[in-house]
Amino acid sequence: MSTRLFLTLACLTLLAGCGNSGVWGWYVIDPTTPTGMSNIRFLLNGFGATIVLSLTAAALSMTLGLMVALPGMSTNRWIRMPSRIYIEFIRAIPLLPMLFWVFYGLPVVLQSMGITLRIDAFWGAVITLAISDSAFTAEIYRSGIQSIARGQTEAAKTIGLTYSQTMRYVILPQAIRRILPPLANQFIYIVKMSAFASVIGMQELTRRANELVVTEYRPLEIYTLLILEYLVLVLIISFFVRWLERKMGADESR
Amino acid sequence: MPEPTAQRATNAIEIKGLNKWFGPFQALKDVDLTVAHGERIVVCGPSGSGKSTLIRCVNSLEAHDSGTITVDGTRMGNAASIEAIRAEVGMVFQQFNLFPHLTILENLTLGPMKARGLSRAEAEARAMKYLERVRIPEQADKKSGALSGGQQQRVAIARSLCMEPRIMLFDEPTSALDPEMIAEVLDVIVDLATSGMTMIVVTHEMGFARRAADRMVFMDHGAIVETGTPQEFFEAPKTERCRTFLNQILRH
């Protein structure tokens, strides 16, 4: 009910711009004019960077998250503790300050240790997103793995499997189907948070929209298109994940 | 009866002065138990008496707090000794604990291939041999979810046998089964018992105990209260606690 009301209002708001009320000025991204077309091209060209940035950060975050999650489930508290501290600490840092710290601060720290490394906007954003997100993926892995009954690990022990064999052949294949939906959620979150990369100058979707707004003075239309760009990205991801879940679910009930 | 060989230890399992706490709760109190090669022991007692904890200590699924466990001459201590002991000891659980994402055949070949380094062909041949032994070779390509409880437990027994253990531990193997499936599982265990396998069975199935056990062990409050042959145990229990227990479970 409220969804329909919201959609109606949203459509009315957009349609309002089609009249001559003067509130909306769609000419700025009108594909029938050369300027509009080149503006659209400029904006859409950010897709590549946003996608590559999100995918790289997500892949790193998922790997890092697993590396943090596994020792976090040890029965030995000295193995468990660093993992817990990492999660609590990283989870507490807001993304934007962390991005500034990595981009402006980390090279200075490295310099003082005798390492000269220039971190460009892309890698600054990748590192920040991956580390920040890994605290959350680690918790997703942990809850997924711990949801697999203890009897599975015990049975694996009695047939002589090592810890890593047990994880690889028994636990993770079962946990993955429970981990996948929240992990997909986290990926969507990364795609959206990648917008922060714009503030350190990375030419992704949001940065391009900002730059166009400065020259065209039509924030309403340009940011509306920007939001739609993210919406399309996220819907594609959702669709893909649904498909993946169905595929795995079908395989399970064989 | 087992064939005693020179290099084999005198006893299959020697447990001395075993103590185990779960926090402030003492689950095992100074437990001593010696199991000879080929001997079939049935452990019974009220719930919470430490039966399961005892056999879970034998293959180190639970760590004990004091006392010694020696399995086939190997004294339990460091990780290597635990690995060596687990290679000798198979275990069957109340809840079967089959791997639901694998087929029955894959459940059986996983251990031999990954832990023992057998080729797929060797492991599959061995798996089929033991599936025949528990009388369900036709289920090899199904997943465990498609099987009845009794069939799942027989697969679990076959999975343990694929590791070719010298000792088998059964932790209430029929307690999670519907009544009509208990017999098919017990038949397989009896069959195993008559083949000379050393085994400790925790169970409330007293008919099975009479048929298959060499010795009964009665536990209460974490201690072994009474042991004896099935005949002594059922006809003339020595302690009051044991009599009460038998009265309760044999009444119906």
Side-chain angles (χ1 to χ4, degrees), chain A residues 10 22 37 64 73 77 79 91 103 106 123 130 141 159-160 195 201 204 217 247-248 251:
Chain A
M37 197 58 213
L64 197 57
M73 287 176 287
R77 61 188 298 238
I79 299 176
R91 210 160 48 171
F103 189 62
L106 189 57
W123 283 107
Y141 283 119
I159 58 166
E204 40 66 76
Y217 301 109
K247 194 163 166 271
M248 296 176 90
D251 184 52

Side-chain angles (χ1 to χ4, degrees), chain A residues 161-203:
Chain A
L161 299 189
T162 63
Y163 172 78
S164 56
Q165 287 172 334
T166 304
M167 276 297 153
R168 182 166 163 204
Y169 299 112
V170 177
I171 305 299
L172 288 178
Q174 295 184 62
I176 190 73
R177 286 180 315 115
R178 299 183 193 184
I179 290 171
L180 198 67
L183 220 47
N185 230 8
Q186 231 21 63
F187 182 53
I188 288 170
Y189 189 75
I190 283 193
V191 170
K192 298 197 292 177
M193 290 302 122
S194 72
F196 276 120
S198 63
V199 301
I200 55 169
M202 188 171 160
Q203 288 285 329

Side-chain angles (χ1 to χ4, degrees), chain B residues 105 109 119-132 162:
Chain B
L105 192 65
T109 55
S119 73
R120 179 173 295 279
E122 290 170 313
E124 285 182 356
R126 188 187 279 190
M128 289 314 294
K129 178 176 110 184
Y130 287 111
L131 277 182
E132 310 238 352
C162 278

